[in-house]
Amino acid sequence: MTETPHPLYDRHADTLHRALTAITERGYWSAYPESPSPRVYGETAAADGKAAFEAYLGGDFPLDQPGTADRVATETSPFGVALDVRYPHPGADEVVAAASAALPAWRDAGPQARVGVCLEILARLHRHIFELANAVQFTSGQAFVMAFQAGGAHALDRALEAIAYAYAEMTRHPGTAGWEKAAGKGDPLRMTKTFHVVPRGVALVIGCNTFPTWNSYPGLFASLVTGNPVVVKPHPRAVLPLAITVKYAREVLAEAGFNPDLVLLAPEAPGEKLASTLALHPAVRIVDFTGSTGYGDWLEANARQATVYTEKAGLNTVVIDSTDDFAGMCRNLGFTLTLYSGQMCTTSQNILIPAGGIETDQGHKSFDEVAAGIAATIGKLTADPARGVELTGAIVNDGVLERLDEVTKVGETVLESRTVAHPALPDAVVRTPTVVKLAATDTEVYGREWFGPISFVIATDSTAHSIEIMRSTVGESGALTAAVYSTDEAVLDAVEAAAIDVGVHLSANLTGGVFVNQSAAFSDFHGSGANPAANAALTDGAFVANRFRIVQSRRPA
């Protein structure tokens, strides 16, 4: 039995095959331009997208889905903009039942039809990328360009990457096969075998506040394209980006002749704990989560009926041994710590430097001079409020502010965090990064995550001691990124060996326009699944292959 090509598959086949090539070559490729320039997207695209975003504010979000008894509005913008969007608030049983009913026809449509529809959803979202970027900006606190890139273009790339991996896994086996075995003097034994891609069941995506699309799209589209209906449970403070996503996904599904309940939005009321209720529902068979270690661990331990994919927290670490570009190193690290006020799961927290200092192209630099060099870069990047806020964005929640207050009581401050008045948004909550000096013995401080614009420069006995600390802290608590600066190949090799041992992705000697907290779709893996910071990687075969199973049938030929 050969699958009949679907019109939407034919429409997007070139994009799919280019993505399939990209995941094997691992070079640079992007399907969605990351520049919001009018030369790329048209003269009116930015204004049209902003107007579409603003049209949602203060009203009922236009989403018609089953089980909606009332509406909820839970978002507070870090930029101080009134959002007040009211979302349909369905019950857990109602959305799961609706999703389950939509599964059989979607399963039976086959991989090509599902891929075609999913790629059409991405194309629809791309046409509304400015609308999406504004929603990401004003719910997450990201500056606009970052929201456009990470929340728009790069999120779409990660979704496409997941679809490509899923298509490769679903088509690894033939749909049908003829089987023949010799049987002595009699006729051979002949069978016709059919291999069905069977989804696991209803999938749940639990969104995060900081990167509501980038972190949700891989799991959402990996589940949907493999045949699983998806319930999207946004973070209460970042509902709008995923509501927009669900809105356009449902439109495309209906236009393609499928039940739009294959994608459903499930916002929660304050204190409702809807994510936990859904995660434990017997019909929910897949859970994707990005967020705190505590809740991720709870999901892994308690959602026993489901396959659970988590990205949690960790202690991202930098080992500084030496450098042949001291200014470049400081610029690179300073930018890394400033971008989005350090509110990225990949931002470095622990910077390990020998107490005796390091050798550089500018001569020997003491520990304090290295710390001061990094701090000076942050100071320059944030000195001008108009320019600085386009890097820092705004503080995403009160928890970050509480940690900024708490950290003033530990160590020795190298660079104080400052309150900045946003020149265009007077109610925005903006804080610059802080850098604090610690001793290697202060493990109770740097041995836990301080999410936000908080980093520690830690004086170690030697580079070997730094590597030992990296190995122990990352091995125990996990990390998504690690970095090393050294002119000594033996040191680079030793840090790489330690990174392999504790399962963390490593960057070496970054001094230019590539930063440790950035991850490129189709080339870089995000998370490894090999340490406590995450049990999965975005995106690899393991991330998609267990979202379906192969069920065979056979008949005599």
Side-chain angles (χ1 to χ4, degrees), residues 117-381:
V117 172
C118 286
L119 292 179
E120 179 66 16
I121 295 171
L122 297 190
R124 185 74 52 90
L125 290 169
H126 189 222
R127 287 204 294 273
H128 295 273
I129 191 171
F130 282 91
E131 175 185 335
L132 197 62
N134 277 276
V136 171
Q137 176 186 5
F138 286 101
T139 56
S140 72
Q142 295 177 30
F144 176 76
V145 171
M146 184 176 187
F148 184 92
Q149 293 179 342
H154 298 169
L156 292 169
D157 271 335
R158 281 297 189 190
L160 176 57
E161 181 182 38
I163 291 169
Y165 269 102
Y167 184 77
E169 292 295 334
M170 287 189 293
T171 56
R172 181 183 298 277
H173 307 287
T176 60
W179 181 87
E180 183 174 311
K181 178 182 178 182
K185 296 181 179 180
D187 293 335
L189 302 175
R190 296 185 179 91
M191 302 289 289
T192 298
K193 302 184 181 185
T194 304
F195 305 95
H196 303 273
V197 173
V198 177
R200 283 197 171 273
V202 176
L204 171 65
V205 172
I206 303 173
C208 68
N209 194 172
T210 49
F211 289 88
T213 54
W214 196 97
N215 278 114
S216 296
Y217 279 13
L220 195 169
F221 284 95
S223 287
L224 187 62
V225 78
T226 51
N228 307 277
V230 183
V231 176
V232 179
K233 207 299 294 182
H235 190 283
R237 294 174 63 99
V239 183
L240 187 54
L242 291 176
I244 291 170
T245 301
V246 170
K247 172 179 178 283
Y248 289 123
R250 289 174 63 84
E251 284 184 7
V252 171
L253 285 161
E255 291 167 10
F258 293 101
N259 189 334
D261 293 343
L262 286 162
V263 182
L264 292 151
L265 187 73
E268 64 178 321
E272 183 181 9
K273 298 184 178 179
L274 181 58
S276 298
T277 301
L278 286 167
L280 300 183
H281 196 289
V284 170
R285 306 308 301 275
I286 300 168
V287 177
D288 285 277
F289 167 75
T290 298
S292 70
T293 297
Y295 192 63
D297 289 346
W298 182 89
L299 286 170
E300 290 172 6
N302 291 280
R304 306 296 295 178
Q305 86 291 350
T307 299
V308 178
Y309 301 90
T310 61
E311 182 204 310
K312 298 174 286 190
L315 305 179
N316 300 320
T317 302
V318 181
V319 173
I320 300 180
D321 167 74
S322 55
T323 180
D324 57 8
D325 185 359
F326 182 73
M329 180 187 76
C330 292
R331 283 195 306 269
N332 192 280
L333 288 174
F335 185 90
T336 293
L337 304 184
T338 303
L339 188 62
Y340 189 30
S341 299
Q343 298 169 124
M344 301 172 68
C345 57
T346 50
T347 300
S348 306
Q349 174 180 298
N350 295 338
I351 303 174
L352 304 167
I353 309 166
I358 66 170
E359 299 304 319
T360 81
D361 57 317
Q362 299 179 18
H364 184 82
K365 295 286 186 180
S366 69
F367 175 92
D368 287 340
E369 287 174 320
V370 178
I374 297 168
T377 297
I378 297 172
K380 290 178 183 177
L381 290 171

